[in-house]
Amino acid sequence: MSVVMITIATLVVLGATAAVILYAAAQKFKVYEDPRIDQVEAVLPAANCGGCGFPGCRAFAEALVKADDISTLLCPVGGAAVMAQAAGILGKEAAATAPMVAVVRCNGNCDVRPKTNNYDGASSCAIAASLYGGDTGCSFGCLGLGDCVDACQFDAMYMDEKTGLPVIIEDKCVACGACVKACPKIIIQLRKKGPKSRRIFVSCVNKDKGGVARKACEVACIGCGKCEKVCPHGAITITNNLAYIDDEKCKLCRKCVEVCPTNAIHEINFPPRKEKTTEEKTEEAPAN
Amino acid sequence: MLKTFSIGGIHPAENKLSAQNPIATLDLPAQAIVMLAQHIGAPAEPVVQKGDIVKTGQLIAKASGFVSANIHAPVSGTIEKIDDVADASGYKRKAIFIKTDGDEWLETIDRTPDLKKEISLSPAEIIQRIADAGIVGMGGATFPTHIKLAPPPGKKCDILIINGVECEPYLTADHRVMLEKGDEIMVGIAILMKALSVNKAIIGIENNKPDAIAHLNKMAQAYQGISIMPLKVQYPQGGEKQLIDACIGRQVPSGKLPIEVGAVVQNIGTALAIYEAVQKNKPLIERVITVTGKSVSTPGNYLARIGTPMLSLIEASGGLPVDTGKIIGGGPMMGKALTSIDIPVTKGSSGLLIMPDREATRQPMQNCIRCAKCVSACPMGLEPYLLMVLSQKGIWDRAEEEKVMDCIECGSCSFTCPSQRPLLDHIRLGKNKVGQIMRSRTK
Amino acid sequence: MNKLTVSPSPHVHSGDSVKKNMYGVIIALMPALLASLWFFGVGALVVTLTSVAACLLFEFLIQKYLLNRAPSILDGSAIITGLLLAFNLPSNLPIALIIIGAAVSIGIGKMAFGGLGNNPFNPALVGRVFLLISFPVQMTSWPLPIASRMSYVDALTGATPLAVLKEGVKSGQSMAELTEKIPSSINLFLGNMGGSLGEVAAIALIIGLAYMLIRRIITWHIPVSVIATVLIFTGILHLVDPQQYVSPLFHLLTGGLLLGAIFMATDYVTSPMSHPGMIVFGVGIGVITVLIRVFGAYPEGVSFAILIMNAFTPLINKYIKPKAFGEVAKPVKA
Ligand code: SF4
Ligand code: SF4
């Protein structure tokens, strides 16, 4: 009997001491955490993709709570809606942002951009790019080894086996920018998704002179300047033999798309054109 | 017992096919394409314009910035244009195009074949002459030589080591130079010793070149302080750090230069170029190149002007074999695969290796079986299998701790791996990334 | 002209391959296999064939149907596992048990971790220890050498020299009495004793080691450090009290020490990567083996020692690095 009593007593005393120590420790090492961090974190998408520039959603929540002006901070995954929610919790102003999407600015598939050599190194664009210009005559274009696809955490990209180019699945793309960072050739860019997801961009980053670019790839931008001249909104500039369309200024009139002799300018999600233009296009095609 | 370096190392098949073929002088090219960036550092700045007439040896582009080198006209003729041209890696770079019109040399250059032994210039003048002549490390590193000859303040050099190892398989250019230009090399070394004010020089030569060892041993009798050290054959003995370890048993600490242990290393070819620059006033406008490969009909060693198209070298060796699958600028271990043969010879071109199709491609990669053979092979005592994983996963801070920056890119790890893993491909990328991070930190 | 191939350097390869190494190990195992056939006859043959076949089969089935990968049974690693498992079994073990052992080796020891290159423990030892713990009786009845050549499950059995020793020391017999009961050193060296089928012939195992060293399949670090540690440790014990502790030579030649040191501890996947690490690993195996043999409950401890050190391998890899270039720099005064 007494053995049992002693055992119980010892355990009780032990337990109590441990509890006291634990409590004291918890008090001593307690860190004050702003409860709003948890609230904000709860509205964030929990993708932990790093698209905001912070190491994860919690870190971003902390930054949002700490910063007085949050207009420069953006969660690209959640977009304006989530930012508004977070701003609401914190009583701060979120910047109004247009939704973005990644676009691939290279259209040089195997038919129009012939291979000039065979790459036989480790399968990584970064490694190939640091070795040499690439397996075609164009030293700016896509290497086709899929670093961007590997970087995408949202399954929003895949490599098209036929063209050898990456494809972005618009609906899944959250514009976190991981692929932009992964691409050593800086081919992928985040652009405004545009009204009804319509957008126009130059699908080429080749800065070689027109003749050289054209020789390497049939659909390269040759820097001829036709688009720059035709654009009524001054959205197009040509630098280093390469046209660039400013998505802030572009009004989606599509004039440039028509004049581009190499079809380097792409329009996305537009309805088909009126009869006349389509005819012209088909007639022109063989001449290219 | 013969000496060699102390950690790791491998024994690739030597394949020195052209070792017995004397150096032949190649005809002048009809057009010389002189790249403005053929050395480590900033590209040179052109000092000529389209339409200018230049003589052989005339300065056509001058060094821009501290690490850079002068470039001289390799032929006489008219400047056609200064334009972009694809370099070995397919990227476009600036080059000066000269339309050859004979070979009229600058009068100041002494073209007589007589050996000139007395060294009349002072150390400072010697270094200036070397800088003027645009001499760079001719083993392939192409680091401007005059910078290497001026030790940073507080550091003192006590020994000069000459790299006659030529540990790259296939290449024989240095070997031939040692056999045919022994006297010039000796004077070149004496000049270097004077410039560095050291009284001891060692020429390290691997034991697979007994003729060169014997020949230079004989020559060295007549020169004070120069000795020949035969070394056991082992790759990468030609690596600066490995060579110093092999010759004098000093190990350059991680991240430091050879001068830290009191040594300066120069290549055989550089010694010859220095002789010509200092004694004959001749700038670096030509070099010896090995053209080789198992399928090449007549492998050989050629003295070619800078700017000569690689194609003419191949033609001189019997033309491009039909089954060519890969062309390498340099040796098979550290050379660069070329995307085309329409590129010119540069100061760093030590060889042109033509590989047939069947040898050109790698075998498929398998899982790492953790056999540790890469670890045993690495001459820097690194763990390549680990560095590859860290670099694949982008764990740069760990990669830095594991001394990725110590890698000398010798390729011993990839060479050895039974699973055919592309270790060095990934490690090199890791080096680039970690290097960037370290530089941005010190900024 | 065809398109040129472009890749980063190096552009040549040693020609070494996983297959070459694996088949090299298999060749190195052949002398020991021949010795076991000599001493244990049919039993050895049946056990070895069953074990190898079962390992290959399980590897194939798991890769094909569970992992949906292209089966790679011909790379030789499953054959090695099968051989090593067999070498660690008595030659009268029933076929069913061998198959269970093979299933555990390949299934749990190897494939569960992701296949060749990822397993933390030596697969053959995982299978062996599983059998030893689950079927201790069958696993410790040892057919007599030569005498039972023509019989399999019904072979005459006896104890291994190590077991004789352990029992003897426990029951207080003197070393002189015991030495009479155990085979002479020359018999131990040739393998004329009871034991697992592949572990008995020291000479055959040493030939295998020499072959692997010459072909550079393994380096000397692990086998030498294991053996040296056992010799030194038991040597000291023997010097302290020759009555209580048997001579180091006996420890070296009996049980699975040589088999373990040469073929199991050197398994690529489960041993450390750096030479200093390999030595630490080897010393650890040596010490644990002696501790188990001399002071533990089991007469033999090599398998356990290797498995325990396998568990330490990641730690060793983390903290014990190869000797780096430049660490021994002697700064020079000019
Ligand atoms: S390439 Fe680098 S990691 Fe590989 S063996 Fe050479 S020094 Fe070591
Ligand atoms: S040599 Fe290859 S297989 Fe062996 S450890 Fe290194 S990377 Fe792995």
Side-chain angles (χ1 to χ4, degrees):
Chain A
M1 193 61 204
S2 69
V3 177
V4 178
M5 291 309 289
I6 293 174
T7 317
I8 292 176
T10 323
L11 281 178
V12 168
V13 172
L14 258 179
T17 333
V20 170
I21 295 174
L22 271 179
Y23 179 76
Q27 284 303 311
K28 182 140 191 256
F29 297 111
K30 193 164 163 188
V31 189
Y32 173 74
E33 273 222 328
D34 195 324
R36 292 178 303 171
I37 294 178
D38 284 332
Q39 289 171 18
V40 173
E41 194 188 355
V43 302
L44 293 177
N48 286 317
C49 65
C52 52
F54 293 90
C57 292
R58 175 136 196 116
F60 184 57
E62 277 166 25
L64 283 173
V65 171
K66 221 186 297 146
D68 290 327
D69 174 17
I70 62 168
S71 61
T72 54
L73 300 174
L74 171 70
C75 166
V77 180
V82 161
M83 288 310 292
Q85 256 180 301
I89 295 170
L90 300 170
K92 296 175 187 172
E93 257 333 285
T97 48
M100 308 284 272
V101 70
V103 300
V104 178
R105 294 181 296 167
C106 176
N107 198 28
N109 62 39
C110 317
D111 298 333
V112 295
R113 187 174 60 137
K115 291 228 180 306
T116 54
N117 61 69
N118 297 319
Y119 177 68
D120 187 35
S123 179
S124 144
C125 305
I127 291 173
S130 63
L131 175 70
Y132 77 136
D135 55 0
T136 67
C138 170
S139 57
F140 299 87
C142 175
L143 295 163
L145 298 168
D147 278 13
C148 50
V149 176
D150 292 343
C152 183
Q153 295 175 27
F154 300 92
D155 276 337
M157 293 187 89
Y158 64 93
M159 290 306 290
D160 186 330
E161 303 229 324
K162 269 232 285 309
T163 61
L165 298 169
V167 179
I168 289 160
I169 306 166
E170 218 177 290
D171 299 336
K172 288 194 186 167
C173 174
V174 299
C176 70
C179 52
V180 177
K181 277 188 219 127
C183 177
K185 299 276 187 184
I186 322 183
I187 286 168
I188 306 181
Q189 187 198 13
L190 293 180
R191 291 178 71 90
K192 271 203 205 149
K193 205 160 185 176
K196 298 196 196 143
S197 290
R198 290 174 182 177
R199 56 193 172 271
I200 295 176
F201 61 94
V202 180
S203 184
C204 181
V205 290
N206 189 316
K207 292 185 182 138
D208 282 334
K209 281 187 204 130
V212 181
R214 181 60 200 260
K215 211 174 132 203
C217 176
E218 286 171 28
V219 295
C221 168
I222 53 175
C224 66
K226 284 193 183 157
C227 51
E228 187 180 27
K229 272 189 221 109
V230 80
C231 179
H233 311 289
I236 304 184
T237 44
I238 303 223
T239 30
N240 294 330
N241 309 308
L242 177 63
Y244 178 74
I245 303 179
D246 184 345
D247 53 359
E248 295 289 335
K249 292 187 187 151
C250 174
K251 298 269 195 298
L252 303 177
C253 70
R254 297 200 272 169
K255 290 212 168 72
C256 52
V257 181
E258 284 157 34
V259 299
C260 178
T262 58
N263 294 325
I265 306 185
H266 280 209
E267 48 172 57
I268 294 201
N269 293 329
F270 283 88
R273 277 158 201 276
K274 281 167 265 147
E275 269 309 291
K276 197 178 133 242
T277 21
T278 352
E279 255 171 44
E280 260 176 25
K281 275 255 154 192
T282 37
E283 271 165 28
E284 252 175 41
N288 278 343
Chain B
M1 223 185 69
L2 287 177
K3 288 194 184 172
T4 184
F5 56 96
S6 46
I7 299 177
I10 55 169
H11 300 92
E14 289 169 22
N15 285 321
K16 304 272 191 188
L17 309 173
S18 49
Q20 298 313 320
N21 307 6
I23 301 170
T25 307
L26 206 68
D27 292 341
L28 292 187
Q31 180 197 45
I33 304 173
V34 188
M35 307 291 297
L36 288 175
Q38 23 183 317
H39 44 258
I40 286 185
E45 198 75 51
V47 294
V48 287
Q49 274 167 1
K50 186 176 165 176
D52 286 3
I53 311 275
V54 293
K55 287 185 179 168
T56 307
Q58 183 182 332
L59 184 73
I60 54 174
K62 67 173 198 315
S64 69
F66 180 61
V67 182
S68 185
N70 285 344
I71 292 172
H72 303 79
V75 292
S76 63
T78 327
I79 307 288
E80 261 178 306
K81 55 178 177 177
I82 300 176
D83 200 1
D84 284 345
V85 62
D87 71 355
S89 56
Y91 286 116
K92 310 275 188 302
R93 312 257 181 210
K94 285 255 177 299
I96 299 178
F97 293 66
I98 307 175
K99 185 161 171 20
T100 313
D101 152 27
D103 193 21
E104 193 187 326
W105 289 60
L106 276 188
E107 299 72 39
T108 48
I109 300 171
D110 172 5
R111 299 195 63 209
T112 57
D114 324 328
L115 186 73
K116 197 172 149 214
K117 263 180 138 177
E118 288 91 275
I119 306 161
S120 49
L121 301 183
S122 72
E125 284 167 332
I126 292 173
I127 293 176
Q128 190 53 46
R129 209 29 106 68
I130 290 173
D132 290 343
I135 293 177
V136 301
M138 312 247 304
T142 66
F143 190 80
T145 302
H146 61 277
I147 304 177
K148 237 172 143 182
L149 293 179
K155 301 280 187 312
K156 174 96 182 65
C157 170
D158 67 347
I159 189 161
L160 170 69
I161 295 177
I162 299 295
N163 184 351
V165 167
E166 204 158 52
C167 61
E168 274 275 7
Y170 289 96
L171 300 191
T172 56
D174 286 353
H175 185 182
R176 290 313 306 179
V177 170
M178 286 190 277
L179 286 177
E180 296 175 32
K181 301 274 183 187
D183 269 319
E184 286 85 345
I185 292 173
M186 287 299 161
V187 179
I189 294 173
I191 296 171
L192 277 167
M193 288 165 70
K194 183 163 181 194
L196 288 164
S197 46
V198 297
N199 48 25
K200 223 175 131 203
I202 297 180
I203 310 179
I205 306 177
E206 277 189 351
N207 205 27
N208 56 359
K209 297 181 260 294
D211 47 353
I213 295 174
H215 182 66
L216 290 191
N217 248 332
K218 216 169 336 126
M219 307 244 117
Q221 314 278 305
Y223 297 85
Q224 261 280 304
I226 304 181
S227 60
I228 317 293
M229 179 169 295
L231 298 167
K232 198 172 140 217
V233 179
Q234 174 156 268
Y235 179 89
Q237 194 132 244
E240 245 182 9
K241 294 186 171 182
Q242 277 64 35
L243 186 62
I244 298 173
D245 184 20
C247 287
I248 53 173
R250 300 179 194 164
Q251 290 195 353
V252 180
S254 168
K256 292 285 178 7
L257 294 172
I259 192 71
E260 199 71 18
V261 294
V264 166
V265 180
Q266 293 290 351
N267 177 269
I268 281 285
T270 318
L272 175 61
I274 285 172
Y275 164 78
E276 292 181 334
V278 176
Q279 304 295 73
K280 304 277 189 171
N281 208 8
K282 179 183 147 200
L284 180 52
I285 55 164
E286 55 186 4
R287 66 158 300 146
V288 180
I289 304 176
T290 305
V291 181
T292 179
K294 286 182 200 153
S295 55
V296 175
S297 54
T298 48
N301 305 289
Y302 300 94
L303 181 66
R305 297 286 166 89
I306 307 293
T308 308
M310 293 289 186
L311 193 58
S312 29
L313 280 167
I314 297 178
E315 272 159 9
S317 311
L320 195 66
V322 276
D323 63 346
T324 299
K326 199 182 220 178
I327 302 182
I328 297 154
M333 293 302 296
M334 295 185 74
K336 218 169 160 2
L338 307 182
T339 50
S340 92
I341 38 174
D342 303 325
I343 58 161
V345 169
T346 63
K347 292 178 181 176
S349 314
S350 52
L352 202 57
L353 169 59
I354 293 166
M355 288 182 129
D357 253 338
R358 59 176 190 284
E359 288 180 17
T361 45
R362 298 180 177 178
Q363 301 298 312
M365 161 179 113
Q366 285 170 289
N367 269 5
C368 172
I369 54 169
R370 309 180 59 83
C371 66
K373 293 195 182 200
C374 52
V375 182
S376 303
C378 179
M380 296 306 291
L382 307 177
E383 292 176 287
Y385 78 99
L386 178 65
L387 294 176
M388 167 166 168
V389 173
L390 293 175
S391 158
Q392 266 177 319
K393 293 193 180 153
I395 312 177
W396 308 125
D397 46 344
R398 263 300 295 292
E400 188 182 343
E401 275 166 36
E402 299 289 348
K403 308 206 199 88
V404 72
M405 295 311 283
D406 276 7
C407 170
I408 57 168
E409 305 187 21
C410 67
S412 302
C413 45
S414 301
F415 174 85
T416 312
C417 178
S419 285
Q420 314 271 351
R421 298 179 73 73
L423 293 153
L424 178 54
D425 295 13
H426 289 276
I427 295 173
R428 202 183 274 118
L429 182 71
K431 268 184 79 174
N432 287 345
K433 285 272 158 53
V434 171
Q436 275 167 22
I437 294 171
M438 289 170 71
R439 277 192 297 278
S440 69
R441 209 182 295 143
T442 51
K443 233 180 252 160
Chain C
M1 197 177 78
N2 352 357
K3 270 179 240 150
L4 293 176
T5 299
V6 178
S7 71
S9 64
H11 306 285
V12 282
H13 190 268
S14 60
D16 200 0
S17 70
V18 175
K19 256 194 186 165
K20 277 190 189 165
N21 283 289
M22 294 297 170
Y23 284 103
V25 176
I26 293 172
I27 293 173
L29 283 166
M30 285 305 123
L33 181 63
L34 292 178
S36 74
L37 291 178
W38 170 259
F39 289 116
F40 301 112
V42 218
L45 190 65
V46 174
V47 172
T48 311
L49 286 182
T50 318
S51 169
V52 172
C55 282
L56 283 172
L57 183 72
F58 284 119
E59 172 126 333
F60 178 81
L61 293 178
I62 293 176
Q63 283 183 330
K64 177 130 196 202
Y65 296 105
L66 287 182
L67 302 176
N68 290 324
R69 278 193 215 149
S72 60
I73 51 169
L74 291 182
D75 70 6
S77 64
I79 302 179
I80 295 181
T81 305
L83 281 173
L84 286 179
L85 178 64
F87 278 20
N88 274 296
L89 302 175
S91 63
N92 62 349
L93 199 70
I95 290 189
L97 296 192
I98 305 172
I99 296 179
I100 294 178
V104 172
S105 288
I106 297 289
I108 298 180
K110 186 170 169 194
M111 289 303 166
F113 295 100
L116 181 63
N118 301 319
N119 45 310
F121 299 105
N122 187 322
L125 282 182
V126 172
R128 141 124 222 248
V129 167
F130 175 85
L131 289 178
L132 185 62
I133 295 172
S134 316
F135 309 98
V137 178
Q138 289 89 329
M139 283 293 287
T140 49
S141 83
W142 312 101
L144 296 175
I146 300 183
S148 45
R149 257 191 207 154
M150 298 316 292
S151 44
Y152 169 43
V153 198
D154 50 353
L156 294 173
T157 60
T160 66
L162 274 174
V164 172
L165 185 76
K166 189 119 216 166
E167 280 310 307
V169 171
K170 242 193 240 162
S171 57
Q173 297 176 17
S174 78
M175 203 40 75
E177 283 172 300
L178 281 174
T179 343
E180 300 207 337
K181 287 197 198 161
I182 53 184
S184 67
S185 289
I186 183 73
N187 271 330
L188 293 180
F189 189 63
L190 293 175
N192 193 4
M193 60 176 155
S196 297
L197 63 88
E199 72 187 18
V200 290
I203 172 82
L205 294 167
I206 290 171
I207 294 173
L209 172 64
Y211 177 78
M212 290 201 291
L213 288 178
I214 291 170
R215 286 259 332 256
R216 292 176 194 257
I217 293 169
I218 57 168
T219 56
W220 56 268
H221 304 82
I222 294 177
V224 169
S225 57
V226 173
I227 293 168
T229 309
V230 170
L231 285 182
I232 293 172
F233 195 176
T234 54
I236 293 173
L237 291 177
H238 185 65
L239 283 184
V240 169
D241 184 355
Q243 278 312 305
Q244 180 78 16
Y245 305 109
V246 73
S247 82
L249 194 63
F250 177 82
H251 275 287
L252 177 68
L253 297 177
T254 55
L257 183 70
L258 286 174
L259 179 65
I262 297 171
F263 288 103
M264 319 261 256
T266 55
D267 171 37
Y268 285 154
V269 183
T270 55
S271 61
M273 301 296 280
S274 67
H275 294 167
M278 289 176 188
I279 289 176
V280 170
F281 179 78
V283 170
I285 291 175
V287 169
I288 298 173
T289 303
V290 177
L291 287 180
I292 297 178
R293 278 187 180 183
V294 177
F295 305 106
Y298 282 95
E300 173 57 311
V302 178
S303 307
F304 289 108
I306 295 176
L307 285 179
I308 290 171
M309 289 313 289
N310 281 169
F312 280 105
T313 297
L315 210 65
I316 294 178
N317 280 338
K318 181 136 193 243
Y319 290 107
I320 302 181
K321 293 289 165 188
K323 194 168 119 224
F325 188 93
E327 272 179 3
V328 297
K330 315 162 218 161
V332 186
K333 305 277 146 331

